[in-house]
Structure formats: C-alpha cells, structure tokens
C-alpha cells in the first residue's frame, strides 16, 4: 500500500465502527468519550476501563488505517495513535492535540529463526521486514538501527502490514521479520518462530511511540471528562508498573493475548515502561528530525501546536 493510500483508504464504515464499539465493550454508553486503540501493549492503559471503572468507551481497531479514518471522520473523540501518524494527520488539517505519551520503549525487531548466522546489522540487507507504516516510530527505529550498521532503509525490503497480521506472515514465510509494538514480538518468541534482534530501547532508550490524542474541540468542550480520564490513565500506569501480573490478567479482554505472555513481557526491565508519560519538547523534536532525515515527510509542527500539557500539568500539580 502506498503512503497516500494508507492515510486515505479505509474499509471501516460508520455503522461498522458503531458495531465495533458495542462488541468490544460491556455496558457501552455512547455519551462517554470514545477512545480508539489497537490490541498492543502500547495501549495497555485502556485497562483503566475495568480497573478504574473509567467513563469512556474503548473502540478496538485492527489497523492504523481504520483508526486514522475514524479519527479523521470524528467518529471517535480521541485515540492512542502513532506519533508520526498523528503528526501527519495534524499537518493535513485535522484539529487534534496530544496530551500524554501512552508509554515509553515497547517495541522490538524480530527475525525468523534460522535466517541470520550472526547478530550483525549487515545481515539484515535484502531481508523482507514488515513495518506497521512509514508513518510509525517503528520505521524510524529501524532506520536508526540500519544506519548504526552502515545500511539504510533502501537496503531492506519494507512491507507495510497491520500489526495483527505479522505473526501469520512470519509463519507463512511471507516475511523474514518485523518491527512493531509488543506483544507480537514476545509472542513470536514464545511460539519459537523468531528471535529478538534488537529491543527498541537498545536503539533509542526512553523513546516515545504512541500518544493519547483528542479532537481539540473535545478538549475545550469536555475538559472535565478529559481531566478525569487522564487521571485514571496515569493511575493505571502506576498500577501496571507495580502489579504486572494483575495488569496482565486485566489485559485479556482488551488485547486478546494470554496473560502469561503479557506478564513475561512486563517483567522485563525497560522493555516497555509506563513512567514519565508527560510529553517533552525533546520527544517531538527527535521524531520530527527523524521523519525528515529518513525522507518520510517534511513536517513543520511546533510543540505547542501539537501538544497540550495543561491536563497532565494540572494532575501533577505543576
């Protein structure tokens, strides 16, 4: 799929979205804020729905294209979304703002067992590697890793693919590896079909990936609800850090992965963390620099135009 096609195409109709919202949550209340997410650990904060009985409706998507279109059409009030993708939507005129990093770190490059002889970047040359989108932190992480080994993204065969399809693609020999958010990487390890080549924090430590964004009109018109929800998400982040087993059990309903897989993942220090979630100017600067450096786009977006820190500052008493 082309970059333009990714951003414009969608198979999700509004009626399907409404069904999705109903089928993925219990006691759905369409008056509550509708928050889009994918079944990845980047979006594990959605367990606040059950942990804190939070007043929002989680709407699960299987692809970034569908989530983007729902955000663009205002079928959802907000979303956990890839930072580069959110920046692209912002540049196209969508009036959204990010209020929180969903997590830090949390991704990995995995390669099918038996493909590599040594763990050297040079061996990646020519491999078919799946990414969720050119407008993803994962593509930027891969580009950084390749550069560290003297290669560029042009030295590998990149395949845009929904995260939920990557395990099957690896099993069916359609790809040699993938870089994406957990828990698909740890799942590939657990299944014994792939080895971790690099954890994302080994490439760029403490990096952001997904952010919690809202329609700007929602922030101004329903600020009280947003403030309450943000507090629930930050409390949930602390709960995940302190209670990985319980958080893993709560995740089943939202992510669909076995609790043992999530518990194993959360037990690994720095692999995915839910600390320091306030967005910093340096976070955005690095993302924008890499978007330009690796020829994804030439976006010019100021921090204050993209990030609204007032909600997290109010919560933290800053």
């Amino acid at each position: 799929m082309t970059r333009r096609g990714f951003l414009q195409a969608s198979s999700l109709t509004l009626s399907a979205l409404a069904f999705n919202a109903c089928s993925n949550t219990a006691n759905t209340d369409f008056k509550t804020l509708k928050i889009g997410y994918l079944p990845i650990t980047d979006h594990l904060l959605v367990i606040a729905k059950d942990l804190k009985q939070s007043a929002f409706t989680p709407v699960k998507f299987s692809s970034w294209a569908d989530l983007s279109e729902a955000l663009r059409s205002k079928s959802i009030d907000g979303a956990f979304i890839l930072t580069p993708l959110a920046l692209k939507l912002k540049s196209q005129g969508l009036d959204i703002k990010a209020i929180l990093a969903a997590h830090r770190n949390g991704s990995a490059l995995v390669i099918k067992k038996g493909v590599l002889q040594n763990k050297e970047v040079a061996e990646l040359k020519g491999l078919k590697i799946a990414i969720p989108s050119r407008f993803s932190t994962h593509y930027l992480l891969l580009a950084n890793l390749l550069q560290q080994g003297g290669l560029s993204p042009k030295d590998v065969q990149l395949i845009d693919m929904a995260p939920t399809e990557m395990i099957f693609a690896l099993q069916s020999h359609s790809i040699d590896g993938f870089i994406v958010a957990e828990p698909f990487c740890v799942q590939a390890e657990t299944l014994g079909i792939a080895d971790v080549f690099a954890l994302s924090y080994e490439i760029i430590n403490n990096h952001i990936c997904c952010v919690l964004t809202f329609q700007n009109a929602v922030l101004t018109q329903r600020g009280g609800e947003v403030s309450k929800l943000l507090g629930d998400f930050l409390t949930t982040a602390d709960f995940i850090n302190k209670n990985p087993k319980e958080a893993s059990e709560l995740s089943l309903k939202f992510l669909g992965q076995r609790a043992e897989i999530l518990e194993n993942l959360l037990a690994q220090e720095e692999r995915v963390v839910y600390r320091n979630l306030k967005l910093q100017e340096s976070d955005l600067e690095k993302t924008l620099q890499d978007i330009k450096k690796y020829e994804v786009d030439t976006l010019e977006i100021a921090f204050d135009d993209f990030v609204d820190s007032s909600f997290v500052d109010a919560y933290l008493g800053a």
Side-chain angles (χ1 to χ4, degrees):
M1 179 181 289
T2 65
R3 184 184 308 164
R4 183 177 180 182
F6 171 81
L7 289 167
Q8 294 181 344
S10 173
S11 60
L12 186 67
T13 64
L14 296 182
S15 59
L17 173 60
F19 176 79
N20 198 15
C22 293
S23 63
N24 284 290
T25 60
N27 302 317
T28 298
D29 180 358
F30 289 102
K31 294 180 181 179
T32 64
L33 295 169
K34 295 187 285 294
I35 308 297
Y37 78 100
L38 264 65
I40 54 180
T41 52
D42 290 11
H43 303 172
L44 188 56
L45 295 184
V46 295
I47 67 172
K49 176 66 179 178
D50 285 356
L51 178 68
K52 303 293 295 181
Q53 298 299 301
S54 294
F56 76 101
T57 299
V59 185
K60 184 165 66 175
F61 296 87
S62 61
S63 75
W64 291 112
D66 287 347
L67 183 145
S68 298
E69 187 58 29
L71 196 59
R72 190 197 302 276
S73 67
K74 298 182 174 58
S75 300
I76 53 178
D77 301 298
F80 290 101
I81 185 172
L82 294 163
T83 303
L85 182 53
L87 287 166
K88 182 60 178 178
L89 293 173
K90 180 77 172 180
S91 75
Q92 293 177 329
L94 185 59
D95 192 12
I96 55 174
K97 280 201 168 183
I99 68 169
L100 192 72
H103 64 104
R104 289 186 182 271
N105 302 335
S107 299
L109 170 63
V110 298
I111 302 296
K112 189 174 179 63
K113 280 187 176 295
V115 169
L116 302 180
Q117 297 300 314
N118 301 297
K119 197 176 179 180
E120 301 290 341
V121 173
E123 285 192 284
L124 299 176
K125 188 172 184 178
L127 296 188
K128 289 185 285 188
I129 299 177
I131 57 172
S133 164
R134 298 302 196 279
F135 285 94
S136 69
T137 305
H138 312 93
Y139 173 70
L140 302 180
L141 286 165
L142 178 61
N144 273 274
L145 176 65
L146 292 170
Q147 184 185 55
Q148 292 168 17
L151 300 179
S152 79
K154 296 178 181 178
D155 290 313
V156 297
Q157 300 179 59
L158 295 171
I159 301 173
D160 287 15
M161 184 177 293
T164 52
E165 298 172 3
M166 291 183 180
I167 291 287
F168 177 76
L170 197 65
Q171 290 174 318
S172 62
H173 309 289
S174 299
I175 57 175
D176 299 306
F178 59 78
I179 181 166
V180 76
E182 299 288 3
F184 299 106
C185 307
V186 73
Q187 183 186 10
E189 283 186 277
T190 303
L191 290 171
I193 60 175
D195 294 315
V196 170
F197 185 90
L199 297 173
S200 62
Y201 80 84
E202 297 171 332
I203 304 171
I204 302 174
N205 191 28
N206 204 40
H207 68 83
I208 62 168
C209 182
C210 289
V211 289
L212 174 61
T213 63
F214 280 92
Q215 309 284 353
N216 199 31
V218 173
L219 297 180
T220 57
Q221 297 169 13
R222 304 176 68 175
E225 293 173 75
V226 173
S227 294
K228 176 65 169 64
L229 183 56
L230 178 132
D232 286 349
F233 282 148
L234 287 173
T235 302
T236 298
D238 187 56
F239 176 85
I240 295 169
N241 292 329
K242 295 177 179 177
N243 305 277
K245 185 176 189 301
E246 292 84 351
S248 300
E249 292 168 352
L250 286 170
S251 76
L252 177 61
K253 172 180 173 181
F254 301 94
L255 305 190
Q257 294 278 357
R258 298 204 320 269
E260 313 90 82
I261 291 178
L262 266 292
E263 186 178 358
N264 174 31
L265 172 67
L266 296 176
Q268 298 180 48
E269 188 174 359
E270 300 303 319
R271 187 157 177 172
V272 54
V273 295
Y274 304 89
R275 302 186 301 271
N276 304 319
L277 300 185
K278 179 179 177 178
L279 289 163
Q280 305 294 333
E281 289 196 38
S282 57
D283 294 324
L284 189 61
E285 182 180 6
K286 173 61 175 171
T287 301
L288 287 170
Q289 284 177 349
D290 282 352
I291 286 174
K292 292 179 183 178
K293 180 178 180 179
Y294 298 114
E295 302 178 343
V296 179
D297 210 318
T298 54
L299 304 178
E300 297 287 347
I301 299 176
F303 181 79
D304 290 338
D305 288 338
F306 181 67
V307 176
D308 184 341
S309 300
S310 63
F311 292 93
V312 67
D313 283 345
Y315 179 85
L316 297 174

